[in-house]
């Protein structure tokens, strides 16, 4: 069956399409972009039409602002695309092009074979926060509903899952309670484990603009083992030892107690568990905290004073908090402070996770992790399963009662030969998962690895048997939700290249071919959305009043947006009534002892490697490596080393250094800088094996993570460092054979 036409399908060839408005497909700030077609190309077949991009001034989340990635996105859309399904039986063979009929036949054969031999648990998909919500919804319905396998997980496991678990545990439900306007209303902004300037640039610029105006009246505190562009703007930078965030937060609680800077009325009326937290905090004296975190007591006291005297405290956090073996506990530790001081559920105040990917929020709403179902529901809850089964049109019991495998468990299942199909879509795990050598070996042992990708030649393609060409953002319609719970319709305004299809269409077509015709009979993304949004009625993330049409006509909207809600009337903040969605209606205070790093430094591996991002590059560079301006800005990966460590390990600026962990070694050019803590190294995550200057940081990282969120500790591994001594190359003497030249007879010119 051919892909179904969208109501917002690309214009017919020859027509000049008008400007398109969409959410930026990169980070979770979710800026609005306005895209206008350039001059039509003389030969549209040879060179596709160019698009000019600018910030969409009508978008309430970004008001016309963009960063370098959003501004250059049009340059990434056409080159190096995967345009046809490709197949190889064995990994040592080259891929050969096939058609979609053959691709579906391969998928269906392996699914049926696996179901017969191993059962539903032998099937797994690993998806992405870069899916549109419609992609997520149909993938989930296919795996958890039709196939009976809850093994649908996403790269949000590496990203936001500690925030998801932390919100749910403390407040009773997932869902960031704040909005971007809070940046304009707070007088203390705590940025913990986030390099906002590089990773959420448009939000950071908004904060910076206000800081320039208000000066000391707005205080900015940054907690990060490195000095970053973010900390350059801070009034106070706490360069703590990696993995000591929870100690710091408890130490702050200790001082707030001492100073009496707590809101007794709020604690009594709206929380539970204070007595246990109070006992825990009492033990976290400034002396202990200072020694463990590696910061001074006056610095800690300064933070406590700022918190105590501020009328509105806003905390922003990202991967420095989430990617930790105690990620959920640290999120709880941060929310504790907001609850105990009444700094929540009012303008300018609250705990606010900065979402990484453009639609990781939509993924959470659609139930896109192995333990979730749509509408912020849980697999473990029998009533939730029954509601979803009914809505999806499957028999009672169709959804398995146990949560599925999180991504690392999928890797382990492949190692044990327990997966017959590993389907990777819109993520590049052979760069982004920890312990890459182990992941590679596990994937190589899986009988069928399928990769749905927009681009050709990614690192993950090297372990795949079947490649499915995906239409990407701009070529398929659908909705994304940004960090402040705002939904933007992203229309299809370009044709997908070759035979590429929207991910949700690929999943729906497979569902029909497997015999679930009525359940997957969607004729458009708008119809998928309609079915999904109806499943959110009465939930915390109620967005049942939103349709593609409403979003197209009235622009981006925030949820909650129940049926009957008027455009612009979605809620900016959650829990304004201070009732939390727990059984008691009270938020829970979490008293948990800090554990520190899962792999602490030791004699053999005395340093801590942390891995993060550069402003211009996006993750595994499938898109940003194509942009000249970005490549010029970040031409190579640099290993940041403190001058003390450089001296100790015999390295100078510009030298080649080798970082080694228990799992492997990588080399990179050294940048000696006092902007990183002694004992800590930094590498970017971006340069995978397919890049000319490959630097596979994740060969070094371990898989251990938070037991609650199952998020791996991608921010820290114990390593050692040594200079790379380039061996002098001995050239073998070459004996040149004498060349005998044939005599040439030149004809005289006429
Ligand atoms: N330019 C760019 N922007 C992006 C992305 C991108 O690839 N490129 N990706 C997007 C995505 S998916 C995400 S998840 C976000 C990530 O956004 P961020 O989390 O802001 O980015 P990172 O660079 O991964 O890490 C942030 C900081 O955590 C610090 N850190 C390391 N260990 C610790 C610790 O133990 N404690 C604390 N407090 N800090 C620590 C690091 O030094 C680093 O500066 O960015 C989004 N935006
Ligand atoms: N050590 C360390 N490791 C990390 C991190 C870290 O901070 N430190 N961060 C982690 C985090 S937070 C994240 S989010 C991950 C990100 O890691 P990945 O998800 O692996 O990174 P991306 O390069 O964004 O991968 C997305 C892929 O989808 C493709 N694609 C784009 N659009 C579409 C589409 O519409 N359909 C399909 N099918 N494909 C599409 C892109 O070409 C790209 O190959 O990395 C994680 N890994
Ligand atoms: S800040 Fe994020 S969403 Fe905004 S333009 Fe940059 S990458 Fe896109
Ligand atoms: Mo992320």
């Amino acid at each position: 069956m051919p892909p179904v036409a969208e109501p917002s399908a690309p214009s017919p060839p020859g027509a000049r399409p008008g400007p398109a408005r969409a959410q930026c497909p990169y980070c979770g700030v979710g800026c609005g972009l306005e895209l206008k077609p350039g001059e039509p190309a003389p030969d549209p077949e040879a060179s596709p039409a160019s698009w000019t991009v600018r910030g969409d001034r009508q978008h309430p989340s970004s008001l016309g602002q963009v960063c370098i990635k959003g501004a250059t996105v049009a340059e990434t859309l056409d080159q190096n695309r995967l345009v046809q399904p490709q197949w190889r039986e064995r990994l040592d063979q080259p891929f050969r092009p096939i058609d979609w009929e053959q691709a579906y036949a391969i998928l269906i054969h392996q699914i049926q074979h696996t179901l017969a031999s191993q059962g539903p648990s032998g099937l797994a998909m690993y998806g992405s926060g870069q899916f549109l919500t419609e992609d997520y919804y149909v993938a989930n319905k296919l795996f958890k509903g039709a196939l009976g396998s809850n093994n649908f997980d996403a790269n949000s496991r590496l990203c936001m899952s500690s925030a998801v678990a932390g919100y749910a545990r403390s407040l009773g439900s997932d869902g960031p309670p704040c909005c971007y306007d809070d940046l304009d209303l707070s007088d203390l902004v705590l940025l913990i484990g986030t390099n906002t300037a590089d990773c959420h640039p448009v939000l950071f610029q908004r904060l910076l603009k206000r800081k320039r105006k208000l000066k000391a009246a707005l205080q900015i505190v940054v907690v990060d083992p490195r000095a970053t562009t973010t900390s350059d703007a801070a009034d106070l930078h706490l360069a703590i030892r990696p993995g000591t965030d929870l100690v710091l937060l408890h130490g702050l609680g200790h001082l707030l107690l001492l100073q009496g800077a707590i809101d007794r009325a709020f604690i009594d009326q709206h929380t539970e568990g204070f007595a246990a937290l109070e006992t825990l905090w009492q033990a976290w004296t400034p002396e202990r905290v200072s020694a463990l975190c590696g910061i001074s007591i006056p610095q800690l006291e300064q933070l406590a004073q700022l918190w105590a005297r501020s009328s509105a405290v806003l905390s922003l956090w990202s991967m420095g908090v989430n990617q930790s073996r105690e990620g959920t506990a640290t999120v709880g530790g941060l929310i504790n402070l907001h609850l105990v001081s009444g700094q929540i559920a009012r303008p300018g105040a609250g705990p606010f996770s900065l979402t990484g990917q453009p639609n990781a929020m939509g993924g959470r709403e659609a139930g896109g992790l192995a333990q979730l179902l749509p509408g912020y529901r849980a697999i473990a809850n029998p009533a939730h399963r029954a509601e979803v089964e009914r809505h999806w049109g499957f028999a009672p019991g169709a959804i398995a009662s146990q949560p599925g495998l999180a991504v690392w468990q999928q890797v382990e299942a492949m190692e044990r030969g327990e997966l017959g199909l590993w389907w990777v879509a819109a993520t590049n795990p052979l760069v982004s998962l920890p312990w890459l050598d182990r992941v590679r070996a596990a994937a190589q042992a899986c009988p069928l690895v399928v990769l749905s990708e927009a681009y050709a030649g990614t690192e993950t393609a090297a372990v795949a048997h079947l490649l499915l060409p995906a239409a990407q953002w701009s070529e398929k319609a659908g909705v994304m939700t940004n960090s402040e719970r705002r939904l933007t319709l992203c229309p299809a305004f370009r044709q997908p290249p070759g035979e590429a299809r929207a991910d949700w269409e690929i999943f729906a077509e497979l569902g029909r071919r497997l015999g679930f015709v009525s359940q997957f009979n969607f004729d458009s993304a708008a119809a998928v959305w309609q079915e999904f949004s109806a499943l959110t009625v009465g939930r915390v993330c109620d967005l049942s009043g939103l349709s593609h049409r409403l979003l197209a006509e009235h622009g981006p909207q925030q949820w909650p947006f129940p049926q009957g809600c008027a455009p612009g009337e979605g809620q900016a903040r959650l829990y304004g009534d201070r009732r939390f969605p727990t059984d008691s209606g009270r938020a829970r205070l979490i008293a948990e002892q800090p554990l520190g790093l899962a792999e602490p430094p030791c004699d053999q591996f005395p340093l801590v490697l942390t891995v993060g991002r550069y402003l211009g590059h996006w993750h595994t560079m499938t898109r940003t490596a194509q942009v000249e301006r970005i490549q010029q800005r970040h031409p190579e990966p640099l290993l940041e080393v403190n001058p003390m460590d450089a001296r100790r390990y015999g390295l100078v600026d510009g030298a080649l250094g080798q970082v080694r962990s228990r799992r492997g070694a990588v080399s990179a050019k050294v940048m000696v800088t006092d902007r990183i803590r002694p004992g800590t190294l930094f590498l970017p995550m971006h340069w995978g094996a397919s890049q000319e200057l490959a630097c596979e940081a994740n060969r070094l990282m371990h898989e251990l993570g938070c037991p609650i969120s199952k998020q791996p500790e991608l921010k820290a591994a114990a390593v050692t460092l040594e200079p790379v001594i380039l061996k002098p190359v001995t050239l073998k003497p070459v004996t040149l054979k004498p060349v005998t030249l044939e005599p040439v007879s030149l004809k005289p010119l006429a």
Side-chain angles (χ1 to χ4, degrees), residues 360-620:
M361 285 284 294
R364 284 142 74 173
E365 292 145 22
L369 286 169
Q371 78 280 15
L372 301 180
L373 287 170
Y376 283 179
R377 289 180 176 85
I379 294 272
N381 183 324
H384 287 180
R385 290 199 303 277
E387 285 159 16
V388 176
E389 281 159 355
R390 220 174 301 127
H391 193 81
W392 277 352
F394 293 113
I399 301 174
S401 59
Q402 295 298 314
L405 303 176
V407 62
W408 190 263
Q409 296 172 302
Q410 295 183 3
V411 171
E412 290 175 331
M414 286 192 284
E415 287 176 333
R416 294 190 300 265
E418 290 172 7
L419 288 193
L421 166 71
W422 194 44
W423 189 341
V424 176
T427 176
N428 194 0
L430 268 291
V431 181
S432 52
L433 282 179
W435 203 341
L436 286 180
D437 294 359
R438 202 171 148 189
V439 176
R440 198 171 286 125
Q444 283 166 350
C446 183
L448 183 66
V449 175
V450 181
L451 175 64
S452 294
E453 239 307 329
Y455 292 89
T458 68
E459 289 79 359
T460 304
V463 298
H465 304 93
L466 178 61
L467 302 180
L468 302 177
Q472 64 168 328
W473 173 89
S474 78
E475 299 154 2
K476 59 179 175 182
V479 176
M480 294 207 244
T481 308
N482 73 7
S483 287
E484 63 163 353
R485 291 173 283 101
R486 193 181 297 278
L487 300 96
T488 303
L489 176 66
C490 302
F493 54 90
R494 294 169 58 256
Q495 293 285 357
E499 295 180 26
R501 294 183 183 178
D503 292 291
W504 74 262
E505 284 178 338
I506 300 171
F507 307 144
E509 173 73 35
L510 180 63
R512 290 190 294 269
R513 286 176 183 238
L514 285 165
F516 303 97
V517 177
S518 64
Q519 288 92 339
F520 292 95
N521 209 10
F522 303 110
D523 63 1
S524 65
V528 176
W529 175 266
Q530 226 37 49
E531 183 181 305
F532 158 61
S533 61
L535 202 40
T536 65
V537 173
R539 306 293 303 162
V540 168
C541 63
D542 191 334
L543 37 79
S544 56
L546 292 172
S547 62
H548 277 207
R549 180 178 295 272
L550 186 146
L551 290 169
E553 284 172 5
H554 298 280
Q557 306 290 328
Q558 272 175 304
W559 68 251
F561 194 105
Q563 276 157 12
C565 188
E569 299 294 306
Q571 229 169 277
R573 296 175 189 86
L574 300 180
Y575 316 130
D577 59 357
R578 300 178 170 196
R579 277 197 60 79
F580 296 93
T582 56
D583 291 341
S584 62
R586 292 160 176 269
R588 303 179 196 112
L589 296 166
I590 307 292
E592 233 160 347
Q593 288 293 1
L595 301 170
L597 295 178
E599 187 181 72
C602 59
D603 286 350
Q604 207 189 346
F605 299 101
L607 304 167
V608 176
L609 171 70
T610 189
V611 177
R613 293 161 167 80
Y614 288 165
L615 169 70
H617 277 305
W618 180 256
H619 296 158
T620 75

Side-chain angles (χ1 to χ4, degrees), residues 27-299:
C27 87
V29 177
C31 298
L33 301 183
E34 196 187 290
L35 295 106
K36 282 202 178 121
E39 282 309 302
D43 176 7
E45 288 288 306
S47 64
S50 62
W51 292 80
T52 53
V53 186
R54 61 170 203 187
D56 177 1
R57 286 177 205 194
Q58 294 172 20
H59 199 292
S61 295
S62 53
L63 308 167
Q65 301 302 303
V66 278
C67 78
I68 185 170
K69 294 183 295 302
T72 55
V73 67
E75 293 167 45
T76 69
L77 299 174
D78 296 308
Q79 294 167 54
N80 195 33
R81 294 292 301 272
L82 192 62
V83 294
Q84 198 177 354
Q86 296 183 33
W87 159 248
R88 56 180 172 182
E89 214 154 333
R90 292 197 326 263
L91 296 181
D92 59 357
Q93 296 170 331
F95 282 109
R96 63 183 173 82
I98 56 170
D99 60 27
W100 276 105
E101 285 299 317
Q102 292 167 300
Y104 282 118
I106 293 164
L107 282 168
I108 288 166
H109 173 266
Q110 188 63 13
I111 287 170
Q112 285 171 344
H113 174 76
T114 305
L115 285 174
S117 58
Q118 285 164 301
S121 64
L123 305 169
M125 178 176 272
Y126 179 45
S128 171
Q130 291 164 73
F131 273 168
L132 299 174
T133 301
E134 291 78 357
D135 299 324
Y136 256 116
Y137 181 74
V138 181
N140 241 319
K141 186 173 180 181
L142 177 68
F143 269 75
K144 294 174 183 170
L147 298 173
S149 166
N150 290 331
N151 300 341
F152 174 89
D153 210 41
N155 59 1
S156 300
R157 186 66 66 187
L158 313 180
C159 184
M160 299 311 293
S161 80
S162 294
V164 172
Y167 280 133
R169 200 159 63 139
S170 295
L171 305 180
S173 169
D174 186 15
C178 307
C179 63
Y180 297 162
D181 283 350
D182 288 329
L183 284 167
D184 301 334
L185 298 167
S186 65
D187 52 1
L188 170 62
V189 177
L190 173 66
L191 303 163
I192 176 165
T194 156
N195 182 5
T196 326
D198 288 350
C199 296
H200 295 92
V202 165
L203 280 189
F204 188 75
Q205 289 307 322
R206 180 166 176 174
L207 184 64
L208 211 56
K209 200 168 146 200
R210 188 158 167 261
K211 173 73 185 166
R212 286 195 196 107
K213 203 151 56 181
L214 293 189
K215 305 206 165 62
L218 168 64
Q219 291 288 300
I220 299 178
V221 178
V222 169
V223 181
D224 192 313
R226 295 189 304 149
T228 59
T229 322
T230 310
S231 69
D232 290 344
D235 298 280
L236 175 65
H237 173 206
L238 301 175
I240 60 167
R241 246 181 224 118
T244 60
D245 296 80
L246 188 54
V247 171
L248 177 78
L249 297 172
H250 287 345
L252 181 52
H254 178 100
L255 290 176
L256 293 183
L257 273 184
L258 266 188
Q259 295 170 8
I262 57 172
D263 184 338
R264 273 280 166 199
F266 192 100
I267 296 170
D268 292 344
Q269 288 163 34
H270 306 299
T271 73
E272 54 196 25
F274 182 63
L277 183 63
E278 200 176 14
T279 312
L280 178 93
W281 275 355
Q282 271 154 1
W284 286 99
T285 59
E287 292 72 24
R288 276 181 84 196
V289 172
S290 149
L292 279 168
C293 295
I295 57 165
S296 71
I297 292 177
Q299 281 182 316

